[in-house]
Amino acid sequence: MLRSLNQVMDALDIETFFICQSEQEGKNLMLSLLTNMGFKDIDIVFAQYAGPGARIRGRAYVHRPADQYRWLFADTGKEGE
């Protein structure tokens, strides 16, 4: 998985439907899921409560603009230089 993450240009979106009591609970569940997956720079980009729960799309930023992009160094072996 690490090699794949090194090729991500900007961010990774994950969307699912959580069984929960409110939109806020769904957002909290998504933030917890992304944190437990090891991502530190995370956000909620979509939330809609309907019926038994909420459809939530979370975003985990692998690179923000002006970061040192790992994919630039993938072929050279100069990661971090």
Side-chain angles (χ1 to χ4, degrees), residues 4-65:
S4 299
L5 280 177
N6 287 343
Q7 298 303 113
V8 173
M9 182 174 224
D10 50 8
L12 182 70
D13 284 0
I14 295 177
E15 182 175 320
T16 193
F17 191 91
F18 286 107
I19 304 299
C20 56
Q21 299 298 313
S22 68
E23 185 175 302
Q24 187 59 50
E25 183 184 2
K27 290 178 179 180
N28 291 341
L29 288 167
M30 178 58 79
L31 292 173
S32 177
L33 176 66
L34 292 172
T35 299
N36 289 338
M37 292 174 76
F39 294 106
K40 294 178 174 49
D41 189 2
I42 57 177
D43 204 356
I44 301 296
V45 294
F46 177 80
Q48 182 177 42
Y49 185 77
R55 176 151 301 280
I56 307 291
R57 183 179 315 130
R59 180 164 293 159
Y61 292 94
V62 179
H63 299 289
R64 291 280 188 164

Side-chain angles (χ1 to χ4, degrees), residues 58-78:
R59 180 164 293 159
Y61 292 94
V62 179
H63 299 289
R64 291 280 188 164
D67 276 353
Q68 189 166 21
Y69 305 108
R70 281 177 266 177
W71 44 266
L72 278 176
F73 306 103
D75 292 334
T76 64
K78 296 180 181 177

